[in-house]
Amino acid sequence: METTTAALLSAAGRRISRCSASSIVWREVRGQHKLTIDGCIPSTKLPRDWSATSKTFEAGGYKWQITYEPYGYGNSWSDKYISVELVYGGRQQTDPLEFTFSLLDQAGKPVPRYSRSTEICFFNGDHKRKQGFHNFIRWKDLEESGCLRDNRFAIQCDITVIKDWALNSDVNNGGGAAAPPPARVVVPPSNLREHLNNLLWKKQGTDVTIHVGGEATFDAHGWLLAARSPVFEAALLSATKDDKVPGGGGRRRMEIQGVEPKVFKALLHFMYTDALPEMKERDTTAMAKGLLAAAHGYKLQRLKLMCEDMLCKRIEVNTVAENLVVAEQLGCRALKDACVEFISVPGNLKAVMETKGFEKIRANCPSVLIQIFL
């Protein structure tokens, strides 16, 4: 009896060991990016081959940019189209995907009439790096759509990537192991940054009042300021009774000098979100200089490097002298090298010497002049 039972179990085991299973699971991973064109009418006066590219963003597991061309397609001005294209930032071929460009109304909602979608397509780093619509929308239609206000309009790009996971389960003669089950939940990206930003501007639970230059007042959270900056930490820990707001229930008070209110507001945004707020291109250089000095003073190294990188990309004849002085004073080696490299070009050197800022170089950075002229 025992022998018969053992034989049956052995046969059953052999049958189980020969079983196998596999599955192919398809999932759609979506991403979205909003691009605002500010000053779009002046952009139509630029050279016909001009274009602009957005900052890099992530969607569907890949890096992307959006290219905007005011002269995308058409011969006469009344038939002139705006062109928008999605630019892939990787080298390997992507998973199959589809994307949609939509004009946004004043409420930030896509306008179905002015939405253009692709069929399923692929991108790669060679001949399919850029795809989009040369005739996305006519200027005439944009002006009549009601979506253009204050010389500004916005476009939304929705990307849907189709991911596949081939999952095999093969138990062979008792020696195999089952593959893990497919991922059934797509975890969204972290929204901690959004929540902390709301915490700041809604003033929920703030316990510090900061007066900036006698012009503006900000409410913040002492625990976050102390965690982000050793300078704030030291100031908050050493606060005396005189630094408390009368009747404020232990609320602390701080005075900030030497920083413009708009710069300090951007500084607070970074401290809460670890990112810079959106800013107009014409304000970027001035804001970067102010934030660079503030970041240096409050020992926010990442912000300092971000501002240094922004200034390195915006070196011009009329700004290089001031950038060089700032780099010398704040110990920004990369910015200093970029400025010296720009000035060392013979044509640039002559133009810089004719600017008022050149005297700042002579007064503050004489060693740089020696380096250039040697």
Side-chain angles (χ1 to χ4, degrees):
M1 183 66 179
E2 293 181 358
T3 303
T4 303
T5 302
L8 289 174
L9 290 173
S10 177
R14 287 195 297 273
R15 285 195 296 273
I16 293 174
S17 68
R18 287 194 294 270
C19 292
S20 64
S22 66
S23 62
I24 297 177
V25 183
W26 298 91
R27 293 284 186 269
E28 290 185 341
V29 182
R30 295 182 175 86
Q32 188 180 91
H33 184 76
K34 175 184 175 183
L35 175 65
T36 300
I37 309 299
D38 192 351
C40 56
I41 300 303
S43 74
T44 64
K45 301 177 183 179
L46 294 166
R48 299 182 66 84
D49 59 350
W50 179 88
S51 65
T53 303
S54 74
K55 68 179 183 180
T56 301
F57 61 93
E58 189 276 335
Y62 301 104
K63 298 292 185 180
W64 307 96
Q65 291 177 303
I66 297 174
T67 295
Y68 160 76
E69 300 177 55
Y71 299 105
Y73 180 79
N75 296 319
S76 65
W77 176 249
S78 62
D79 293 326
K80 191 69 67 179
Y81 284 85
I82 291 172
S83 170
V84 288
E85 293 181 289
L86 185 62
V87 184
Y88 174 49
R91 295 183 178 181
Q92 302 298 323
Q93 181 167 291
T94 65
D95 290 299
L97 61 91
E98 57 186 357
F99 62 91
T100 300
F101 280 108
S102 302
L103 180 67
L104 300 182
D105 61 20
Q106 293 301 317
K109 303 296 184 181
V111 180
R113 182 180 178 184
Y114 300 118
S115 296
R116 302 286 302 276
S117 301
T118 64
E119 301 290 340
I120 294 295
C121 60
F122 297 87
F123 284 77
N124 58 46
D126 297 324
H127 60 285
K128 284 191 176 181
R129 182 171 174 267
K130 181 188 298 186
Q131 300 182 59
F133 305 98
H134 294 290
N135 57 346
F136 174 64
I137 186 173
R138 293 192 306 174
W139 275 102
K140 181 179 178 181
D141 294 334
L142 174 63
E143 292 169 353
E144 296 175 354
S145 68
C147 300
L148 178 61
R149 173 179 284 184
D150 298 330
N151 204 18
R152 176 190 300 177
F153 69 97
I155 297 170
Q156 180 172 292
C157 180
D158 292 275
I159 303 171
T160 301
V161 180
I162 302 175
K163 299 279 190 180
D164 71 288
W165 290 270
L167 301 171
N168 298 302
S169 175
D170 188 4
V171 183
N172 186 14
N173 294 325
R184 300 186 182 278
V185 178
V186 178
V187 180
S190 170
N191 58 358
L192 176 63
R193 177 182 300 177
E194 178 183 350
H195 287 302
L196 287 177
N197 189 47
N198 290 337
L199 186 69
L200 170 63
W201 302 121
K202 289 181 179 179
K203 302 181 181 181
Q204 297 173 340
T206 57
D207 59 351
V208 180
T209 298
I210 306 173
H211 299 275
V212 181
E215 301 179 28
T217 300
F218 299 93
D219 293 319
H221 302 81
W223 55 267
L224 189 141
L225 300 182
R228 297 285 278 159
S229 165
V231 176
F232 272 111
E233 180 183 22
L236 291 168
L237 290 176
S238 63
T240 63
K241 294 182 179 179
D242 294 335
D243 298 319
K244 301 295 179 65
V245 177
R251 190 179 190 85
R252 287 164 289 186
R253 181 178 183 276
M254 297 184 68
E255 291 282 349
I256 302 294
Q257 300 293 337
V259 182
E260 294 184 49
K262 62 181 180 180
V263 173
F264 190 80
K265 182 178 180 180
L267 180 77
L268 277 181
H269 181 94
F270 172 82
M271 294 183 72
Y272 276 76
T273 67
D274 211 38
L276 291 173
E278 292 186 7
M279 61 187 79
K280 297 179 180 179
E281 178 61 32
R282 64 174 178 266
D283 300 329
T284 300
T285 299
M287 181 63 77
K289 289 178 182 177
L291 279 173
L292 180 64
H296 178 78
Y298 290 105
K299 298 188 184 302
L300 298 168
Q301 184 63 18
R302 184 170 185 271
L303 177 59
K304 183 178 178 181
L305 292 174
M306 290 169 66
C307 295
E308 186 176 1
D309 179 63
M310 291 166 64
L311 292 176
C312 283
K313 296 175 180 177
R314 291 168 173 80
I315 296 176
E316 300 174 354
V317 170
N318 293 324
T319 62
V320 65
E322 188 171 348
N323 285 348
L324 181 56
V325 173
V326 169
E328 184 79 357
Q329 293 174 341
L330 303 183
C332 302
R333 183 57 183 271
L335 180 58
K336 178 180 178 180
D337 291 344
C339 291
V340 171
E341 181 179 341
F342 180 89
I343 297 175
S344 298
V345 177
N348 291 344
L349 175 58
K350 181 179 178 181
V352 173
M353 291 178 67
E354 295 174 355
T355 65
K356 296 180 180 179
F358 186 71
E359 291 301 321
K360 293 184 178 180
I361 299 179
R362 295 180 62 179
N364 297 278
C365 312
S367 60
V368 172
L369 293 180
I370 296 175
Q371 177 182 347
I372 294 173
F373 286 109
L374 283 179

